[in-house]
């Protein structure tokens, strides 16, 4: 094994603390709230479903604010993941190149997770944020774009068939750890099984968070009362 958990934590705990702080502060930049405050001088959490996310912005404010929300939430996730990988890799010191790559991988996943938590519980907005779907997408586009494209395909297919964004989000979240596991243990064939297990465990934990945040939606789906997506009913922005 190239790296043990004890070695990683012993070497990297200061970098992990710095990563957690930076990723959380970046995640707390909830662009659904920021954009609607600038665009309409209002709080998105007082409109529509009350969720601070791109879907609610699209439904209640229009296409242009929703587009800026998508871009902002993706970019903050990109920044957190890249920064986390850099900070943790720098802590590797004189480790081999292969070990440094593993440090960077672990740092990126950790930063992505904390950024998602920041998005859901933003420091700047009373700890009431969104559900973390776009932030997860941004994180995974950097970390594993192949697996992400499959999960995105699941999302699009389910939304087209059901016209429910919440159901598509939950199905995509559920598929994420499965696809990640398959890719890391077959396609990527890591020399270090810890890396494959870590990536699978992190995506599983993220999937649990996303599905838990959609629990009220799932109950409405079961009751047949969940809102269905219809682009024709939205503002033009």
């Amino acid at each position: 094994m190239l790296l043990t958990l004890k070695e990683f934590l012993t070497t990297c705990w200061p970098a992990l603390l710095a990563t957690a702080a930076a990723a959380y502060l970046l995640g707390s930049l909830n662009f659904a709230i920021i954009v609607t405050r600038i665009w309409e001088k209002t709080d998105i959490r007082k409109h529509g479903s009350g969720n601070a996310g791109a879907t609610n912005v699209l439904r209640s404010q229009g296409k242009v604010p929703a587009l800026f929300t998508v871009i902002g939430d993706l970019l903050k996730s990109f920044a957190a993941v890249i920064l986390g990988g850099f900070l943790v890799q720098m802590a590797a010191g004189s480790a081999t190149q292969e070990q440094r790559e593993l440090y960077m991988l672990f740092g990126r996943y950790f930063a992505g997770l904390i950024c998602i938590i920041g998005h859901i519980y933003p420091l700047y907005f009373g700890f009431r944020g969104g559900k973390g779907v776009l932030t997860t997408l941004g994180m995974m586009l950097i970390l594993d774009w192949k697996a992400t494209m499959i999960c995105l395909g699941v999302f699009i297919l389910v939304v087209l068939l059901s016209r429910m964004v919440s159901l598509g989000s939950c199905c995509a979240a559920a598929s994420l750890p499965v696809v990640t596991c398959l890719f890391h243990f077959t396609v990527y064939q890591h020399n270090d099984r810890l890396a494959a297990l870590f990536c699978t465990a992190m995506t599983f934990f993220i999937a649990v968070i996303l599905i838990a945040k959609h629990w009220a939606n799932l109950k409405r789906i079961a009751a047949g009362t969940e809102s269905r997506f219809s682009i024709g009913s939205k503002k033009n922005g």
Side-chain angles (χ1 to χ4, degrees):
M1 184 175 287
L2 296 172
L3 184 67
T4 67
L5 182 61
K6 182 179 179 180
E7 289 171 340
F8 175 70
L9 293 176
T10 300
T11 304
C12 294
W13 68 266
L16 290 172
L17 288 178
T19 295
Y24 177 72
L25 293 175
L26 282 167
S28 291
L29 294 170
N30 187 298
F31 280 89
I33 300 174
I34 294 170
V35 168
T36 52
R37 284 188 176 180
I38 295 172
W39 192 264
E40 294 285 351
K41 310 298 182 185
T42 189
D43 189 331
I44 187 61
R45 295 170 294 183
K46 297 179 181 178
H47 300 272
S49 66
N51 181 57
T55 301
N56 194 32
V57 174
L58 176 60
R59 283 174 168 159
S60 63
Q61 306 300 318
K63 298 174 187 176
V64 175
L67 177 61
F68 282 120
T69 299
V70 169
I71 293 171
D73 281 344
L74 289 178
L75 288 179
K76 77 178 182 188
S77 186
F78 293 163
V81 169
I82 292 171
L83 179 61
F86 173 78
L87 290 174
V88 176
Q89 187 182 51
M90 290 300 99
S94 59
T96 66
Q97 180 60 32
E98 198 165 5
Q99 285 178 319
R100 290 175 67 84
E101 289 177 0
L102 286 174
Y103 275 70
M104 181 176 70
L105 178 68
F106 293 171
R108 285 184 167 187
Y109 266 98
F110 178 67
L113 172 62
I114 300 300
C115 186
I116 293 167
I117 293 173
H119 177 84
I120 297 171
Y121 303 106
L123 175 66
Y124 318 122
F125 304 110
F127 303 101
R128 288 180 53 230
K131 295 178 180 177
V133 175
L134 270 176
T135 311
T136 301
L137 175 61
M139 164 191 176
M140 293 307 301
L141 280 172
I142 292 180
L143 287 167
D144 194 342
W145 69 267
K146 294 177 183 178
T148 303
M149 288 299 102
I150 293 176
C151 295
L152 186 59
V154 170
F155 170 82
I156 293 171
L157 179 62
V158 172
V159 171
L160 288 176
L161 292 174
S162 69
R163 294 189 293 117
M164 290 185 284
V165 174
S166 56
L167 183 59
S169 298
C170 288
C171 290
S175 68
L176 179 59
V178 177
V179 176
T180 299
C181 180
L182 289 174
F183 271 74
H184 279 276
F185 279 100
T186 58
V187 178
Y188 301 149
Q189 296 180 334
H190 287 290
N191 292 325
D192 193 338
R193 289 176 62 85
L194 177 61
L197 289 170
F198 176 82
C199 295
T200 301
M202 290 292 279
T203 52
F204 176 80
F205 187 49
I206 290 168
V208 170
I209 292 173
L210 296 184
I211 293 172
K213 289 299 296 181
H214 285 84
W215 193 249
N217 301 85
L218 291 173
K219 289 195 291 186
R220 289 195 295 270
I221 290 171
T225 58
E226 177 69 347
S227 299
R228 294 181 183 270
F229 190 86
S230 176
I231 196 68
S233 65
K234 313 301 182 285
K235 291 183 179 180
N236 293 325

